[in-house]
Amino acid sequence: MQIAKNSVVTIHYELTDAEGNQLEKGDPVMSYIHGGYDGVFPMVEEALHGKTVGDAVSVRMEPDDAFGEYDEKPPETASLLKD
């Protein structure tokens, strides 16, 4: 069966930086519904489209293709509590 729109896709993945250092490993797995539902990055979904069980895929993404450039500063938060 090929991966197509509305397929439930389960993948094993490994995320590395540009130097090949492992940043994250999907253990055991990650699942999403294929077809543009924002369950996975668009470039990953595009690379998986049409693949079958057992296929291996490698995707190189730039920061703008994912979450953007890394910012060491913690995000600002607004207080939702009333005084």
Side-chain angles (χ1 to χ4, degrees):
M1 178 176 165
Q2 288 188 320
I3 296 174
K5 186 170 178 75
N6 296 324
S7 299
V8 175
V9 179
T10 300
I11 59 174
H12 296 268
Y13 71 93
E14 183 175 339
L15 177 65
T16 60
D17 63 15
E19 288 79 38
N21 301 308
Q22 184 180 35
L23 301 174
E24 183 177 316
K25 187 170 185 172
D27 195 21
V29 295
M30 180 189 109
S31 297
Y32 75 98
I33 299 174
H34 191 81
Y37 300 108
D38 297 328
V40 69
F41 295 116
M43 286 184 71
V44 173
E45 187 167 71
E46 183 180 323
L48 291 171
H49 191 80
K51 301 296 187 245
T52 60
V53 173
D55 285 349
V57 175
S58 180
V59 178
R60 180 184 170 97
M61 296 190 325
E62 296 298 322
D64 286 342
D65 299 320
F67 298 114
E69 293 291 337
Y70 179 71
D71 185 356
E72 292 185 28
K73 182 178 70 174
E76 294 181 26
T77 57
S79 175
L80 299 177
L81 301 175
K82 293 185 178 187
D83 292 332

mmCIF file of all heavy atoms in Angstrom, residues 41-76:
data_model
loop_
_atom_site.group_PDB
_atom_site.id
_atom_site.type_symbol
_atom_site.label_atom_id
_atom_site.label_comp_id
_atom_site.label_asym_id
_atom_site.label_seq_id
_atom_site.Cartn_x
_atom_site.Cartn_y
_atom_site.Cartn_z
ATOM 1 N N PHE A 41 5.702 18.107 9.234
ATOM 2 C CA PHE A 41 6.182 19.193 8.376
ATOM 3 C C PHE A 41 5.861 18.899 6.911
ATOM 4 O O PHE A 41 6.006 17.759 6.457
ATOM 5 C CB PHE A 41 7.693 19.384 8.526
ATOM 6 C CG PHE A 41 8.107 19.843 9.890
ATOM 7 C CD1 PHE A 41 8.900 19.041 10.692
ATOM 8 C CD2 PHE A 41 7.702 21.074 10.372
ATOM 9 C CE1 PHE A 41 9.288 19.462 11.945
ATOM 10 C CE2 PHE A 41 8.080 21.504 11.630
ATOM 11 C CZ PHE A 41 8.877 20.691 12.423
ATOM 12 N N PRO A 42 5.451 19.918 6.148
ATOM 13 C CA PRO A 42 5.099 19.705 4.738
ATOM 14 C C PRO A 42 6.187 19.021 3.914
ATOM 15 O O PRO A 42 5.887 18.170 3.070
ATOM 16 C CB PRO A 42 4.819 21.115 4.223
ATOM 17 C CG PRO A 42 4.359 21.867 5.425
ATOM 18 C CD PRO A 42 5.185 21.300 6.561
ATOM 19 N N MET A 43 7.448 19.354 4.140
ATOM 20 C CA MET A 43 8.531 18.721 3.371
ATOM 21 C C MET A 43 8.632 17.230 3.672
ATOM 22 O O MET A 43 8.938 16.432 2.785
ATOM 23 C CB MET A 43 9.873 19.398 3.670
ATOM 24 C CG MET A 43 10.021 20.757 3.025
ATOM 25 S SD MET A 43 11.658 21.461 3.313
ATOM 26 C CE MET A 43 12.660 20.412 2.267
ATOM 27 N N VAL A 44 8.371 16.856 4.920
ATOM 28 C CA VAL A 44 8.413 15.442 5.291
ATOM 29 C C VAL A 44 7.247 14.723 4.628
ATOM 30 O O VAL A 44 7.411 13.647 4.041
ATOM 31 C CB VAL A 44 8.374 15.272 6.823
ATOM 32 C CG1 VAL A 44 8.249 13.804 7.207
ATOM 33 C CG2 VAL A 44 9.605 15.903 7.456
ATOM 34 N N GLU A 45 6.070 15.325 4.702
ATOM 35 C CA GLU A 45 4.898 14.717 4.083
ATOM 36 C C GLU A 45 5.108 14.527 2.575
ATOM 37 O O GLU A 45 4.798 13.471 2.018
ATOM 38 C CB GLU A 45 3.655 15.559 4.356
ATOM 39 C CG GLU A 45 2.391 14.882 3.892
ATOM 40 C CD GLU A 45 1.154 15.547 4.415
ATOM 41 O OE1 GLU A 45 0.858 16.674 3.948
ATOM 42 O OE2 GLU A 45 0.482 14.958 5.263
ATOM 43 N N GLU A 46 5.672 15.523 1.930
ATOM 44 C CA GLU A 46 5.935 15.437 0.490
ATOM 45 C C GLU A 46 6.904 14.301 0.174
ATOM 46 O O GLU A 46 6.713 13.552 -0.785
ATOM 47 C CB GLU A 46 6.494 16.769 -0.006
ATOM 48 C CG GLU A 46 6.745 16.822 -1.488
ATOM 49 C CD GLU A 46 7.289 18.170 -1.933
ATOM 50 O OE1 GLU A 46 6.862 19.202 -1.383
ATOM 51 O OE2 GLU A 46 8.140 18.181 -2.838
ATOM 52 N N ALA A 47 7.936 14.159 1.003
ATOM 53 C CA ALA A 47 8.926 13.097 0.772
ATOM 54 C C ALA A 47 8.328 11.703 0.986
ATOM 55 O O ALA A 47 8.743 10.739 0.348
ATOM 56 C CB ALA A 47 10.125 13.297 1.690
ATOM 57 N N LEU A 48 7.347 11.597 1.881
ATOM 58 C CA LEU A 48 6.737 10.300 2.179
ATOM 59 C C LEU A 48 5.642 9.911 1.194
ATOM 60 O O LEU A 48 5.317 8.731 1.055
ATOM 61 C CB LEU A 48 6.165 10.300 3.598
ATOM 62 C CG LEU A 48 7.192 10.344 4.725
ATOM 63 C CD1 LEU A 48 6.508 10.564 6.056
ATOM 64 C CD2 LEU A 48 8.020 9.075 4.747
ATOM 65 N N HIS A 49 5.068 10.885 0.506
ATOM 66 C CA HIS A 49 3.955 10.615 -0.399
ATOM 67 C C HIS A 49 4.344 9.571 -1.451
ATOM 68 O O HIS A 49 5.358 9.692 -2.129
ATOM 69 C CB HIS A 49 3.487 11.901 -1.080
ATOM 70 C CG HIS A 49 2.195 11.732 -1.812
ATOM 71 N ND1 HIS A 49 0.986 11.748 -1.175
ATOM 72 C CD2 HIS A 49 1.937 11.500 -3.117
ATOM 73 C CE1 HIS A 49 0.026 11.549 -2.058
ATOM 74 N NE2 HIS A 49 0.588 11.390 -3.251
ATOM 75 N N GLY A 50 3.551 8.535 -1.568
ATOM 76 C CA GLY A 50 3.801 7.483 -2.554
ATOM 77 C C GLY A 50 4.728 6.377 -2.082
ATOM 78 O O GLY A 50 4.904 5.374 -2.777
ATOM 79 N N LYS A 51 5.345 6.538 -0.910
ATOM 80 C CA LYS A 51 6.248 5.509 -0.385
ATOM 81 C C LYS A 51 5.430 4.342 0.161
ATOM 82 O O LYS A 51 4.227 4.452 0.389
ATOM 83 C CB LYS A 51 7.144 6.072 0.716
ATOM 84 C CG LYS A 51 8.012 7.229 0.275
ATOM 85 C CD LYS A 51 9.009 6.794 -0.779
ATOM 86 C CE LYS A 51 9.984 7.891 -1.096
ATOM 87 N NZ LYS A 51 9.902 8.399 -2.423
ATOM 88 N N THR A 52 6.099 3.219 0.378
ATOM 89 C CA THR A 52 5.445 2.035 0.921
ATOM 90 C C THR A 52 6.171 1.558 2.172
ATOM 91 O O THR A 52 7.265 2.049 2.494
ATOM 92 C CB THR A 52 5.422 0.889 -0.118
ATOM 93 O OG1 THR A 52 6.760 0.558 -0.474
ATOM 94 C CG2 THR A 52 4.654 1.282 -1.361
ATOM 95 N N VAL A 53 5.576 0.594 2.863
ATOM 96 C CA VAL A 53 6.155 0.053 4.089
ATOM 97 C C VAL A 53 7.588 -0.403 3.829
ATOM 98 O O VAL A 53 7.875 -1.066 2.834
ATOM 99 C CB VAL A 53 5.318 -1.138 4.600
ATOM 100 C CG1 VAL A 53 5.998 -1.815 5.786
ATOM 101 C CG2 VAL A 53 3.923 -0.685 4.980
ATOM 102 N N GLY A 54 8.492 0.023 4.711
ATOM 103 C CA GLY A 54 9.897 -0.367 4.606
ATOM 104 C C GLY A 54 10.773 0.609 3.860
ATOM 105 O O GLY A 54 11.997 0.509 3.921
ATOM 106 N N ASP A 55 10.180 1.567 3.149
ATOM 107 C CA ASP A 55 10.985 2.566 2.442
ATOM 108 C C ASP A 55 11.692 3.469 3.455
ATOM 109 O O ASP A 55 11.152 3.775 4.513
ATOM 110 C CB ASP A 55 10.112 3.441 1.542
ATOM 111 C CG ASP A 55 9.659 2.733 0.280
ATOM 112 O OD1 ASP A 55 10.181 1.645 -0.017
ATOM 113 O OD2 ASP A 55 8.762 3.262 -0.404
ATOM 114 N N ALA A 56 12.889 3.907 3.119
ATOM 115 C CA ALA A 56 13.641 4.858 3.932
ATOM 116 C C ALA A 56 13.663 6.193 3.203
ATOM 117 O O ALA A 56 13.811 6.243 1.978
ATOM 118 C CB ALA A 56 15.060 4.368 4.164
ATOM 119 N N VAL A 57 13.507 7.272 3.951
ATOM 120 C CA VAL A 57 13.473 8.617 3.378
ATOM 121 C C VAL A 57 14.374 9.512 4.217
ATOM 122 O O VAL A 57 14.381 9.433 5.434
ATOM 123 C CB VAL A 57 12.029 9.175 3.380
ATOM 124 C CG1 VAL A 57 12.002 10.606 2.904
ATOM 125 C CG2 VAL A 57 11.121 8.308 2.537
ATOM 126 N N SER A 58 15.123 10.369 3.558
ATOM 127 C CA SER A 58 15.949 11.358 4.238
ATOM 128 C C SER A 58 15.516 12.736 3.752
ATOM 129 O O SER A 58 15.406 12.959 2.548
ATOM 130 C CB SER A 58 17.428 11.125 3.914
ATOM 131 O OG SER A 58 18.227 12.090 4.564
ATOM 132 N N VAL A 59 15.260 13.638 4.689
ATOM 133 C CA VAL A 59 14.812 14.987 4.344
ATOM 134 C C VAL A 59 15.724 15.980 5.042
ATOM 135 O O VAL A 59 15.910 15.922 6.251
ATOM 136 C CB VAL A 59 13.348 15.223 4.799
ATOM 137 C CG1 VAL A 59 12.911 16.632 4.474
ATOM 138 C CG2 VAL A 59 12.419 14.204 4.185
ATOM 139 N N ARG A 60 16.288 16.900 4.268
ATOM 140 C CA ARG A 60 17.114 17.967 4.844
ATOM 141 C C ARG A 60 16.269 19.232 4.843
ATOM 142 O O ARG A 60 15.793 19.669 3.792
ATOM 143 C CB ARG A 60 18.377 18.181 4.027
ATOM 144 C CG ARG A 60 19.244 19.284 4.600
ATOM 145 C CD ARG A 60 20.455 19.552 3.722
ATOM 146 N NE ARG A 60 21.128 20.738 4.163
ATOM 147 C CZ ARG A 60 22.187 20.741 4.972
ATOM 148 N NH1 ARG A 60 22.688 19.615 5.394
ATOM 149 N NH2 ARG A 60 22.744 21.885 5.333
ATOM 150 N N MET A 61 16.095 19.811 6.035
ATOM 151 C CA MET A 61 15.271 21.012 6.150
ATOM 152 C C MET A 61 16.087 22.150 6.740
ATOM 153 O O MET A 61 16.926 21.936 7.605
ATOM 154 C CB MET A 61 14.058 20.740 7.050
ATOM 155 C CG MET A 61 13.136 19.703 6.474
ATOM 156 S SD MET A 61 11.540 19.501 7.310
ATOM 157 C CE MET A 61 11.856 19.764 9.003
ATOM 158 N N GLU A 62 15.821 23.327 6.253
ATOM 159 C CA GLU A 62 16.396 24.540 6.811
ATOM 160 C C GLU A 62 15.483 25.007 7.948
ATOM 161 O O GLU A 62 14.315 24.602 8.008
ATOM 162 C CB GLU A 62 16.512 25.615 5.732
ATOM 163 C CG GLU A 62 17.461 25.249 4.600
ATOM 164 C CD GLU A 62 18.890 25.037 5.065
ATOM 165 O OE1 GLU A 62 19.357 25.778 5.962
ATOM 166 O OE2 GLU A 62 19.544 24.123 4.533
ATOM 167 N N PRO A 63 15.985 25.858 8.838
ATOM 168 C CA PRO A 63 15.152 26.315 9.956
ATOM 169 C C PRO A 63 13.782 26.860 9.524
ATOM 170 O O PRO A 63 12.770 26.578 10.169
ATOM 171 C CB PRO A 63 16.002 27.402 10.617
ATOM 172 C CG PRO A 63 17.405 26.970 10.340
ATOM 173 C CD PRO A 63 17.351 26.388 8.941
ATOM 174 N N ASP A 64 13.743 27.602 8.423
ATOM 175 C CA ASP A 64 12.464 28.158 7.968
ATOM 176 C C ASP A 64 11.473 27.086 7.523
ATOM 177 O O ASP A 64 10.276 27.338 7.437
ATOM 178 C CB ASP A 64 12.681 29.162 6.833
ATOM 179 C CG ASP A 64 13.254 30.475 7.325
ATOM 180 O OD1 ASP A 64 13.186 30.757 8.542
ATOM 181 O OD2 ASP A 64 13.776 31.231 6.485
ATOM 182 N N ASP A 65 11.970 25.877 7.240
ATOM 183 C CA ASP A 65 11.091 24.776 6.860
ATOM 184 C C ASP A 65 10.480 24.096 8.079
ATOM 185 O O ASP A 65 9.608 23.246 7.945
ATOM 186 C CB ASP A 65 11.871 23.712 6.073
ATOM 187 C CG ASP A 65 12.465 24.268 4.795
ATOM 188 O OD1 ASP A 65 11.783 25.071 4.120
ATOM 189 O OD2 ASP A 65 13.606 23.900 4.473
ATOM 190 N N ALA A 66 10.954 24.453 9.257
ATOM 191 C CA ALA A 66 10.492 23.821 10.490
ATOM 192 C C ALA A 66 9.993 24.890 11.461
ATOM 193 O O ALA A 66 8.941 25.478 11.252
ATOM 194 C CB ALA A 66 11.616 22.992 11.101
ATOM 195 N N PHE A 67 10.773 25.168 12.503
ATOM 196 C CA PHE A 67 10.344 26.107 13.548
ATOM 197 C C PHE A 67 11.046 27.456 13.487
ATOM 198 O O PHE A 67 10.815 28.313 14.329
ATOM 199 C CB PHE A 67 10.601 25.498 14.927
ATOM 200 C CG PHE A 67 9.838 24.237 15.170
ATOM 201 C CD1 PHE A 67 10.489 23.027 15.308
ATOM 202 C CD2 PHE A 67 8.460 24.258 15.268
ATOM 203 C CE1 PHE A 67 9.784 21.867 15.538
ATOM 204 C CE2 PHE A 67 7.741 23.104 15.497
ATOM 205 C CZ PHE A 67 8.406 21.895 15.635
ATOM 206 N N GLY A 68 11.955 27.667 12.545
ATOM 207 C CA GLY A 68 12.698 28.918 12.467
ATOM 208 C C GLY A 68 14.033 28.808 13.183
ATOM 209 O O GLY A 68 14.383 27.769 13.732
ATOM 210 N N GLU A 69 14.783 29.884 13.162
ATOM 211 C CA GLU A 69 16.098 29.915 13.807
ATOM 212 C C GLU A 69 15.965 29.730 15.316
ATOM 213 O O GLU A 69 15.005 30.186 15.928
ATOM 214 C CB GLU A 69 16.815 31.243 13.521
ATOM 215 C CG GLU A 69 17.212 31.447 12.082
ATOM 216 C CD GLU A 69 18.314 30.510 11.623
ATOM 217 O OE1 GLU A 69 19.093 29.998 12.456
ATOM 218 O OE2 GLU A 69 18.383 30.275 10.398
ATOM 219 N N TYR A 70 16.959 29.078 15.924
ATOM 220 C CA TYR A 70 16.985 28.857 17.367
ATOM 221 C C TYR A 70 17.218 30.171 18.090
ATOM 222 O O TYR A 70 18.082 30.959 17.717
ATOM 223 C CB TYR A 70 18.087 27.854 17.721
ATOM 224 C CG TYR A 70 18.187 27.598 19.195
ATOM 225 C CD1 TYR A 70 17.197 26.872 19.852
ATOM 226 C CD2 TYR A 70 19.254 28.074 19.936
ATOM 227 C CE1 TYR A 70 17.268 26.633 21.209
ATOM 228 C CE2 TYR A 70 19.345 27.837 21.296
ATOM 229 C CZ TYR A 70 18.353 27.111 21.931
ATOM 230 O OH TYR A 70 18.432 26.880 23.278
ATOM 231 N N ASP A 71 16.433 30.419 19.114
ATOM 232 C CA ASP A 71 16.565 31.616 19.937
ATOM 233 C C ASP A 71 16.792 31.164 21.371
ATOM 234 O O ASP A 71 15.915 30.540 21.972
ATOM 235 C CB ASP A 71 15.296 32.463 19.835
ATOM 236 C CG ASP A 71 15.414 33.793 20.565
ATOM 237 O OD1 ASP A 71 16.451 34.045 21.220
ATOM 238 O OD2 ASP A 71 14.457 34.578 20.486
ATOM 239 N N GLU A 72 17.981 31.465 21.917
ATOM 240 C CA GLU A 72 18.315 31.027 23.268
ATOM 241 C C GLU A 72 17.488 31.729 24.334
ATOM 242 O O GLU A 72 17.344 31.229 25.435
ATOM 243 C CB GLU A 72 19.798 31.247 23.543
ATOM 244 C CG GLU A 72 20.681 30.330 22.722
ATOM 245 C CD GLU A 72 22.142 30.470 23.074
ATOM 246 O OE1 GLU A 72 22.459 30.827 24.231
ATOM 247 O OE2 GLU A 72 22.969 30.219 22.191
ATOM 248 N N LYS A 73 16.958 32.881 24.010
ATOM 249 C CA LYS A 73 16.166 33.641 24.966
ATOM 250 C C LYS A 73 14.822 32.937 25.183
ATOM 251 O O LYS A 73 14.156 32.560 24.225
ATOM 252 C CB LYS A 73 15.945 35.050 24.424
ATOM 253 C CG LYS A 73 15.184 35.988 25.328
ATOM 254 C CD LYS A 73 15.084 37.364 24.705
ATOM 255 C CE LYS A 73 14.148 37.280 23.518
ATOM 256 N NZ LYS A 73 13.835 38.529 22.886
ATOM 257 N N PRO A 74 14.413 32.752 26.450
ATOM 258 C CA PRO A 74 13.113 32.109 26.676
ATOM 259 C C PRO A 74 11.978 32.983 26.137
ATOM 260 O O PRO A 74 12.093 34.210 26.108
ATOM 261 C CB PRO A 74 13.029 31.970 28.194
ATOM 262 C CG PRO A 74 14.058 32.870 28.751
ATOM 263 C CD PRO A 74 15.072 33.118 27.677
ATOM 264 N N PRO A 75 10.906 32.365 25.688
ATOM 265 C CA PRO A 75 9.796 33.155 25.157
ATOM 266 C C PRO A 75 9.157 34.010 26.242
ATOM 267 O O PRO A 75 9.143 33.641 27.410
ATOM 268 C CB PRO A 75 8.814 32.102 24.643
ATOM 269 C CG PRO A 75 9.190 30.850 25.344
ATOM 270 C CD PRO A 75 10.642 30.949 25.672
ATOM 271 N N GLU A 76 8.658 35.166 25.824
ATOM 272 C CA GLU A 76 7.973 36.031 26.772
ATOM 273 C C GLU A 76 6.574 35.471 27.006
ATOM 274 O O GLU A 76 5.935 34.958 26.103
ATOM 275 C CB GLU A 76 7.879 37.442 26.217
ATOM 276 C CG GLU A 76 9.242 38.117 26.077
ATOM 277 C CD GLU A 76 9.131 39.532 25.556
ATOM 278 O OE1 GLU A 76 8.085 40.156 25.746
ATOM 279 O OE2 GLU A 76 10.120 39.981 24.966
#
